[in-house]
Amino acid sequence: MPMPGGKVAVLVVVPLAALAIVLVVAGPFRAEEASRAAPANAPAQKRWTAVAPGRVEPLSREIKVAAPVIGRIAEVLVRPNDKVFSGELLVRLDDTEALARWAAADAQAALRKRVRNDASTPKGSAERRKAEDAAADAEHAATEARAALDRAAGARRAGRGSQAALDAARVALSLAQDRLREQQDALRKVKAAAGTALPGRLEGELNVARAELALAEAELEKTRIRAPLAGTVLQVQAKVGELAAPSTEQPLATLGDLSALRVRAELDEKDLVKIRVGQRVFVRAEAFRDREFEGKVASIDQVVGPSRINARGPRKMSDVDVMEVLVDLADSGPLVPGMQADVYFSVDTPGRQGSQ
């Protein structure tokens, strides 16, 4: 028969063995949880004065390009990731009616000019008439130069044109626009000069026809959706045949300057006193847990408002008010616009408090 002491030994050994098994099994899970709680490669002594959620964005922010008028989409000339220059044609709306109105206005202006030229020149009107004709010709040349640039850019994207031809078209448009400004300035000076006669009836009718032509050109230009800045096409929502409307809720395309990336973080208002312009930060993204991206605070908004990153439906009384903090990244690496990230504000290099 076993001794009572043996029973006691067995009872003590069994719980100890079970505890050891639990510690062995739970150890890796605790280590993994600790690694998730702190930034990768972070020294043990590193401390953060505040942490804020943010979102990666282009240097220019995301530019949503919408149609200025309602119209059917006739042509989409760009795709995501395309590099575009400022003023490049992105989307063309149906321009059948606009072209017809422009052609009618152009013919009317040519007719009025012929009628004016057949009449004698009133005294004191020669210099003004010459300046008016020069300004009108310069405006027409600028319109033609822009159309030529659109054709060169389209041919380049389709593989039918060269970069040299595109560059030459851009230079030609720049020169034409400079010439137009010079002629318009000269016309204003002539009109303001003493002794310049007022336009006669035929000259007035020509000026009205030219104004109507300029209006027709402006209406035609509204069917040309252009890039407002040089950058990269991030998204294209436009589809041929669909109806475009002037709404930023449904943009035709989204652009951005990807020469540098930033993080727009939403800082809890209670942490404002801890943050300064120039302060060093570290950014972590869920997609790259093993990487840290260094940056610094570029600006701090001076307006408190509700969070937009974590907004999910109507605002609640328990929602936290935040201030937007803009962070410049030293090297964005694989980060892409729209990606969510966490910003860790370091206690060193506090800098100075500032605003946009």
Side-chain angles (χ1 to χ4, degrees):
M1 184 174 180
M3 296 295 294
K7 292 182 179 181
V8 173
V10 171
L11 292 175
V12 172
V13 170
V14 170
L16 290 176
L19 178 60
I21 293 174
V22 170
L23 291 175
V24 170
V25 173
F29 291 99
R30 290 178 179 175
E32 181 180 357
E33 194 131 332
S35 66
R36 291 181 180 179
N41 304 324
Q45 71 273 17
K46 182 178 290 185
R47 295 188 299 113
W48 316 107
T49 185
V51 181
R55 194 178 295 275
V56 181
E57 65 179 32
L59 182 63
S60 61
R61 303 191 69 170
E62 292 184 358
I63 308 300
K64 297 180 179 180
V65 183
V69 294
I70 298 177
R72 184 180 62 84
I73 298 173
E75 190 176 12
V76 180
L77 296 102
V78 293
R79 295 177 295 180
N81 298 321
D82 281 352
K83 305 291 184 182
V84 297
F85 57 84
S86 179
E88 183 172 354
L89 186 61
L90 307 176
V91 178
R92 182 177 63 84
L93 303 183
D94 184 16
D95 54 8
T96 305
E97 293 184 7
L99 280 172
R101 285 192 293 268
W102 180 89
D106 186 51
Q108 183 68 15
L111 176 60
R112 293 299 179 185
K113 182 178 180 180
R114 188 178 303 114
V115 172
R116 185 209 63 176
N117 290 342
D118 291 341
S120 59
T121 304
K123 185 178 180 180
S125 299
E127 188 175 0
R128 175 181 48 75
R129 177 182 293 189
K130 183 179 178 180
E132 288 174 345
D133 289 348
D137 292 342
E139 187 170 359
H140 187 268
T143 300
E144 290 296 325
R146 181 171 290 281
L149 176 58
D150 290 342
R151 291 191 294 270
R156 180 74 178 93
R157 291 206 176 277
R160 301 189 304 268
S162 64
Q163 184 63 40
L166 177 60
D167 293 340
R170 293 181 66 180
V171 171
L173 175 59
S174 179
L175 293 176
Q177 290 173 334
D178 291 342
R179 178 66 175 171
L180 175 58
R181 284 189 290 268
E182 291 174 1
Q183 294 302 325
Q184 289 174 338
D185 290 341
L187 177 58
R188 281 191 290 267
K189 291 179 181 178
V190 169
K191 288 182 176 181
T196 300
L198 294 175
R201 180 178 62 84
L202 297 181
E203 292 173 332
E205 290 175 350
L206 174 57
N207 290 338
V208 170
R210 283 172 171 170
E212 290 176 348
L213 176 59
L215 179 60
E217 289 177 350
E219 292 298 321
L220 179 60
E221 183 61 24
K222 290 180 181 179
T223 65
R224 273 67 169 148
I225 316 303
R226 303 185 182 278
L229 79 168
T232 303
V233 179
L234 305 179
Q235 288 181 319
V236 177
Q237 291 83 19
K239 297 179 181 178
V240 174
E242 288 187 344
L243 193 66
S247 171
T248 55
E249 296 299 324
Q250 295 178 333
L252 299 179
T254 304
L255 309 180
D257 180 3
L258 300 185
S259 60
L261 295 182
R262 290 174 162 181
V263 176
R264 190 171 296 272
E266 293 185 343
L267 180 72
D268 191 323
E269 60 177 332
K270 65 181 177 61
D271 293 327
L272 175 62
V273 295
K274 307 174 185 177
I275 307 303
R276 300 290 185 271
V277 170
Q279 187 168 350
R280 190 183 183 195
V281 304
F282 294 90
V283 175
R284 295 197 68 216
E286 186 69 18
F288 307 102
R289 295 186 179 183
D290 59 338
R291 291 196 60 176
E292 227 177 47
F293 305 91
E294 187 173 350
K296 64 179 181 179
V297 176
S299 62
I300 305 171
D301 275 4
Q302 298 301 304
V303 177
V304 177
S307 171
R308 290 183 290 181
I309 294 179
N310 298 317
R312 297 291 187 273
R315 179 172 168 78
K316 301 177 182 179
M317 294 296 294
S318 58
D319 288 348
V320 177
D321 286 322
V322 298
M323 300 186 73
E324 288 191 344
V325 177
L326 197 59
V327 172
D328 285 337
L329 295 174
D331 181 10
S332 58
L335 298 177
V336 296
M339 184 174 288
Q340 291 195 16
D342 292 323
V343 179
Y344 295 79
F345 297 88
S346 178
V347 296
D348 61 350
T349 61
R352 60 178 180 79
Q353 186 171 3
S355 59
Q356 286 274 34

